[in-house]
Amino acid sequence: CKHTPSSSVPLSMASAPALIYAFLIAVYVPPVSVSAQEQHERAPVRLLASFGLKLQLSCISARQSSIRTVQWLQKTNSMEHWEEIAELSVPVGKERFQVLDDGSLVILSIGVEDEGLFKCRAEKNSTEDLSVTSVLVYKSPSEPVLKESYLTFTAGAFSEIGTCISDNGHPVSNITWYKDGKEVVANGNETQVKVHIIKNQNTQLYTTESTLYYTLTKNDVSVQFECLVLSPSQGGCKVQRSRSIQVDVHYAIESVVIEADPPDKLIDEGESITLKCRADTNPPPIEYLWEKDGKQLGTSDQYTIQALSKRDEGGYQCTVFDFNFNQRSALKEIRVQARENNNAVDGVGRGFSIFTAESHSKDGHGGLRTLNQAGKVIGVIVTLSLVVFFICVAYYISHHQQKKEKKPLEDFEEATAMDPEKAPPSAAKLEGEEQ
């Protein structure tokens, strides 16, 4: 917050006009008629004045009662020579300046144009005392305004992040950028800061605009930028903080993976599992597609299988789509263990296991690297068991039907055996009747 005037007068030059004047008198006027006037110049005093307020400057030399004349002169940054602005009891047409009885100069409303040097000249007898005051004018700018340039950004692109505006300040404000609380340092390549300064010709105040250019990466998703404005004040430095802006960084799909819930846990046949499709991209994919062995299953970001059975075995894949690109995950294979077999498959235990078969083909699709031999054997056994079961059922139904057809004839023979009259005539009896 240190500020140095753009131009100042060295102390050794402060008395130059008087010395030259004395030199001319010594040359052109007889020395007997004029006596040289002794000068005493005091060390300069520095003051920091607030823009628009009243300022009083003391003339130390004028405090002595024997002082005859007090004169105030001014030399601002825009002046080449000293200019008289006020004199004790003698108005000089400067309404903003007043000289008090004690010789002090009052500036009713100090402005930027008053920044510079003020000289008090006090004469007594043959001695002239000079006291110089250096006045620096400051004005704290209004609260900084941070304007974002875009709503979204692309990773890897050199982008304009935003502009920090510090309005109506003096001197020029110092603006610093921060990302997530850490200072952003411009390096001229992927990080640049451009400053534009506008000066109000009426008030002489400055508006400072600082624009940040930055190359964002995928790791900068949701980072926050802000700017800090430093300006001088009566007590030192004044710090003003802008609001924060959060950037949204877009990048294409980099990878797609399938996560299982529960992960790689043995589960009995008949229980459920949820497969989740995770894509490393921003924004999130606009569409998902689940497939099993080439057959489409669903279009959400996750797929749940209820009551697992042998028919759920196979390779599962998820494909994600964004606006201009799509990418497919590696295969996730599910192997199911039937409930009837309590022994472990490959010595692991009951349930099913899930494992990923990474694809090494160029198109990322590939095939399964592991065949479920145990599942095939179990499927053959189950199929043979069902065939035997149906054969037994068919035999039972056929045998039961034959028994039903023989039973009425047996009942009839049994009834005729009990009643001789109802029995059919025998062959011997028929022959006797004929005779």
Side-chain angles (χ1 to χ4, degrees):
C1 294
K2 294 182 179 180
H3 174 69
T4 303
S6 58
S7 63
S8 60
V9 179
L11 296 179
S12 60
M13 298 294 295
S15 56
L19 292 175
I20 295 174
Y21 178 72
F23 174 78
L24 293 176
I25 292 178
V27 172
Y28 294 101
V29 180
V32 293
S33 61
V34 179
S35 60
Q37 190 175 42
E38 183 181 0
Q39 290 186 342
H40 297 285
E41 186 170 341
R42 301 178 183 275
V45 178
R46 293 181 178 272
L47 291 179
L48 187 62
S50 179
F51 179 88
L53 299 182
K54 180 166 47 174
L55 179 65
Q56 182 173 332
L57 305 178
S58 299
C59 185
I60 301 176
S61 303
R63 295 177 182 176
Q64 303 177 19
S65 58
S66 59
I67 294 297
R68 294 183 306 167
T69 305
V70 174
Q71 183 185 33
W72 279 94
L73 299 95
Q74 180 187 27
K75 187 178 182 182
T76 65
N77 298 332
S78 60
M79 297 179 181
E80 295 183 0
H81 306 286
W82 289 95
E83 179 180 321
E84 183 180 1
I85 56 174
E87 188 173 345
L88 183 62
S89 301
V90 180
V92 293
K94 300 277 187 178
E95 297 180 356
R96 294 192 306 111
F97 302 102
Q98 294 180 356
V99 179
L100 304 181
D101 293 338
D102 61 356
S104 298
L105 175 68
V106 177
I107 306 175
L108 299 180
S109 177
I110 192 166
V112 177
E113 66 274 11
D114 298 319
E115 190 173 63
L117 300 175
F118 290 83
K119 180 190 292 185
C120 172
R121 176 184 293 166
E123 296 182 4
K124 70 171 182 177
N125 301 328
S126 61
T127 303
E128 182 181 63
D129 286 342
L130 302 174
S131 59
V132 179
T133 302
S134 176
V135 176
L136 303 178
V137 180
Y138 77 92
K139 180 183 181 300
S140 297
S142 55
E143 290 295 322
V145 176
L146 180 53
K147 296 181 178 180
E148 61 268 41
S149 300
Y150 303 98
L151 297 178
T152 61
F153 302 87
T154 302
F158 185 70
S159 306
E160 179 181 317
I161 303 300
T163 300
C164 184
I165 302 174
S166 176
D167 193 27
N168 289 331
H170 186 83
V172 176
S173 301
N174 182 17
I175 300 178
T176 307
W177 285 89
Y178 286 82
K179 184 185 80 169
D180 281 348
K182 295 182 179 180
E183 183 178 352
V184 177
V185 180
N187 56 18
N189 296 319
E190 64 271 9
T191 304
Q192 297 181 18
V193 176
K194 295 183 179 180
V195 179
H196 183 215
I197 300 174
I198 304 172
K199 185 176 181 180
N200 188 312
Q201 297 301 322
N202 294 325
T203 63
Q204 306 297 308
L205 299 178
Y206 295 102
T207 295
T208 306
E209 298 179 354
S210 176
T211 304
L212 174 64
Y213 296 85
Y214 195 84
T215 303
L216 296 162
T217 67
K218 57 174 282 188
N219 297 326
D220 291 322
V221 174
S222 300
V223 298
Q224 293 186 342
F225 287 91
E226 63 180 351
C227 63
L228 265 64
V229 177
L230 297 179
S231 58
S233 65
Q234 196 67 43
C237 284
K238 182 177 181 180
V239 180
Q240 295 172 294
R241 186 185 302 270
S242 73
R243 69 181 182 93
S244 297
I245 58 174
Q246 181 172 306
V247 299
D248 185 16
V249 182
H250 289 186
Y251 60 95
I253 304 170
E254 295 192 355
S255 64
V256 182
V257 296
I258 296 177
E259 298 177 355
D261 183 22
D264 298 331
K265 183 178 179 181
L266 297 176
I267 302 177
D268 289 335
E269 181 183 21
E271 296 191 9
S272 63
I273 184 174
T274 298
L275 303 178
K276 300 177 182 179
C277 190
R278 303 299 189 204
D280 184 10
T281 183
N282 188 54
I286 59 175
E287 186 179 352
Y288 297 83
L289 177 61
W290 286 96
E291 296 175 284
K292 173 183 176 290
D293 298 334
K295 180 182 178 181
Q296 296 184 4
L297 301 175
T299 58
S300 65
D301 62 340
Q302 64 182 31
Y303 181 71
T304 300
I305 308 172
Q306 302 286 354
L308 279 164
S309 65
K310 293 296 294 184
R311 66 176 176 270
D312 295 317
E313 285 188 331
Y316 290 78
Q317 275 188 311
C318 171
T319 303
V320 295
F321 300 84
D322 63 10
F323 295 98
N324 301 313
F325 190 70
N326 65 82
Q327 186 167 333
R328 181 174 294 178
S329 71
L331 285 170
K332 179 76 76 174
E333 184 181 341
I334 295 180
R335 185 175 60 181
V336 180
Q337 175 66 42
R339 282 181 179 273
E340 291 78 10
N341 188 355
N342 292 329
N343 295 325
V345 176
D346 296 333
V348 177
R350 294 195 314 156
F352 80 96
S353 62
I354 309 165
F355 54 93
T356 304
E358 295 292 342
S359 173
H360 296 280
S361 62
K362 292 183 179 179
D363 59 359
H365 297 170
L368 295 175
R369 295 190 305 176
T370 304
L371 296 176
N372 191 347
Q373 299 296 341
K376 290 184 177 181
V377 173
I378 293 173
V380 172
I381 294 174
V382 172
T383 302
L384 294 176
S385 299
L386 291 174
V387 171
V388 173
F389 173 75
F390 285 119
I391 291 174
C392 293
V393 171
Y395 175 78
Y396 172 78
I397 293 174
S398 176
H399 179 71
H400 184 68
Q401 186 66 28
Q402 291 177 1
K403 289 181 64 177
K404 285 185 176 181
E405 293 176 354
K406 291 173 63 177
K407 188 173 180 181
L409 182 57
E410 292 175 353
D411 292 341
F412 175 77
E413 292 176 350
E414 183 180 354
T416 54
M418 294 177 61
D419 189 0
E421 294 181 356
K422 295 182 179 180
S426 62
K429 188 176 180 179
L430 292 173
E431 290 179 356
E433 291 179 353
E434 290 177 356
Q435 293 179 357

